Amino acid sequence: MAKAKSTVLVIDDQPGIRRLLTEVLTEEGYTVVTAINGIDGVTKTKEVKPALILMDMKMPGMDGIETLREIKRLGQGDRVIMMTAYGELDLVNQAREMGAYGYITKPFDIISLCHMIDEASNETEVRQLMIG
């Protein structure tokens, strides 16, 4: 039996994106937890302490930057991939300066996103093994 991959938290206000990513990432062996907005994402981060977070940049209420800031304040979010349909370079740069692992523009190529997730997840697992 193959070793289960790490937990991924998907924070996006669009149900279709959450459903697509859940199906694809579950098939790839990840445990997937979803959140419908930034506030829900912060709560789920506290509960499950995911190895990786995929987060929409533009959400109603608490946007991706505010959510990233709060997740970082909690000491979580070493691996965050921001998703944006807007390609706003200033927000992407701000997220990277705050420690986001990377970003991908919607509509995204699912294979490219899976490669990015695998890369980020493997780096997290390696770092945890080195620490532990």
Side-chain angles (χ1 to χ4, degrees):
M1 179 183 260
K3 178 182 174 249
K5 293 184 179 180
S6 53
T7 300
V8 176
L9 173 60
V10 175
I11 307 171
D12 199 302
D13 60 312
Q14 296 177 4
I17 296 290
R18 291 192 311 270
R19 188 170 36 256
L20 169 68
L21 291 173
T22 298
E23 289 175 11
V24 170
L25 295 176
T26 299
E27 190 172 301
E28 291 292 315
Y30 290 96
T31 300
V32 180
V33 177
T34 62
I36 61 172
N37 58 38
I39 294 168
D40 189 29
V42 170
T43 300
K44 297 274 176 72
T45 298
K46 290 177 191 176
E47 292 171 0
V48 300
K49 296 182 179 21
L52 180 73
I53 299 171
L54 288 174
M55 180 170 32
D56 193 13
M57 188 82 74
K58 293 283 189 174
M59 296 179 285
M62 183 184 273
D63 69 16
I65 296 294
E66 293 171 299
T67 305
L68 179 59
R69 186 175 292 120
E70 185 62 21
I71 288 170
K72 288 292 192 177
R73 190 184 71 71
L74 295 171
Q76 296 293 312
D78 288 340
R79 295 288 178 247
V80 176
I81 297 173
M82 305 298 292
M83 301 181 292
T84 180
Y86 303 94
E88 294 180 339
L89 193 55
D90 57 333
L91 288 177
V92 168
N93 287 335
Q94 187 177 357
R96 291 199 93 159
E97 287 171 8
M98 293 173 63
Y101 180 82
Y103 77 97
I104 194 157
T105 304
K106 291 179 185 178
F108 46 79
D109 174 67
I110 197 69
I111 294 171
S112 296
L113 180 59
C114 284
H115 287 306
M116 185 183 288
I117 291 166
D118 284 341
E119 181 181 290
S121 180
N122 288 335
E123 286 185 22
T124 300
E125 289 174 10
V126 167
R127 195 180 70 242
Q128 287 175 344
L129 286 174
M130 289 170 48
I131 292 170

